[in-house]
Amino acid sequence: MGSRPVGGRAAQGASGRAGLAAAFRDAFAGHPGGVAIITAAGPRGPVGLTATSVISVSVAPPTLAFSLSSARGSAGALLTADFLAVHLLSTEHEDLARLFSGPGADRFGPDTAWDRAPTGEPLLAGPQVILRCRVLTRTPVAGSTIVAAQVIDLLGPGTTTEGGATPLVHYRRGYHRLQG
């Protein structure tokens, strides 16, 4: 069986593991993803990080999933948490996305407004949609972990576009706003 045309041309494969990994990374760099911040109460205080891997899994019951590629630092603390808060970001919160994606940043310092949910997870002031979740499963896959969590509460108006805001997306290794 030979190569089949893909999109009107013959598919060109990446050779070797390094080539395939680079091609895979580039393919997803060109695939926009919504930006979220995931927070939890860690053993040494609040933790959080920026994620572009959050997906909707089910409506009944409301369930989402995301992946973490590390078991150290904030990601490691998120992996041990029973409750999480997933903050869906609009373009107004690009600074928060950058703060929570940078290494060594004081994410919950005096310049970050936040409060605690009854189950302990930090709730950031600003994002219009916060999904409070209870972790259901943690599934190791290759070097990452896929976390599935059931939404137990939705805080805010329920959409990142309330009041004319536009969702923040990650595309080609940068933050962008949707047009339209």
Side-chain angles (χ1 to χ4, degrees):
M1 189 184 261
S3 295
R4 292 188 324 186
V6 176
R9 63 179 194 269
Q12 296 179 359
S15 60
R17 279 186 198 223
L20 181 58
F24 181 79
R25 194 172 13 263
D26 289 345
F28 272 89
H31 181 73
V35 182
I37 294 174
I38 303 169
T39 60
R44 291 186 288 251
V47 295
L49 53 77
T50 301
T52 58
S53 64
V54 177
I55 61 168
S56 167
V57 174
S58 172
V59 173
T63 305
L64 59 82
F66 59 90
S67 67
L68 296 171
S69 60
S70 176
R72 296 184 312 262
S74 294
L78 287 172
L79 285 174
T80 65
D82 292 326
F83 293 93
L84 307 163
V86 178
H87 305 72
L88 304 181
L89 302 185
S90 66
T91 54
E92 299 170 358
H93 305 107
E94 183 176 336
D95 289 344
L96 268 179
R98 290 185 188 286
L99 175 66
F100 278 78
S101 68
D106 188 6
R107 296 172 179 163
F108 294 95
D111 293 335
T112 305
W114 61 282
D115 201 355
R116 285 194 189 274
T119 46
E121 64 275 14
L123 304 174
L124 300 171
Q128 293 182 316
V129 179
I130 302 173
L131 306 164
R132 291 188 48 238
C133 303
R134 179 178 54 83
V135 173
L136 298 172
T137 63
R138 296 168 188 87
T139 307
V141 178
S144 297
T145 303
I146 298 172
V147 177
Q150 183 175 344
V151 177
I152 58 174
D153 197 7
L154 190 146
L155 308 174
T159 176
T160 56
T161 59
E162 189 74 19
T166 57
L168 183 62
V169 297
H170 195 259
Y171 174 71
R172 298 232 180 260
R173 298 177 178 89
Y175 296 116
H176 301 275
R177 73 177 49 229
L178 290 176
Q179 301 295 323

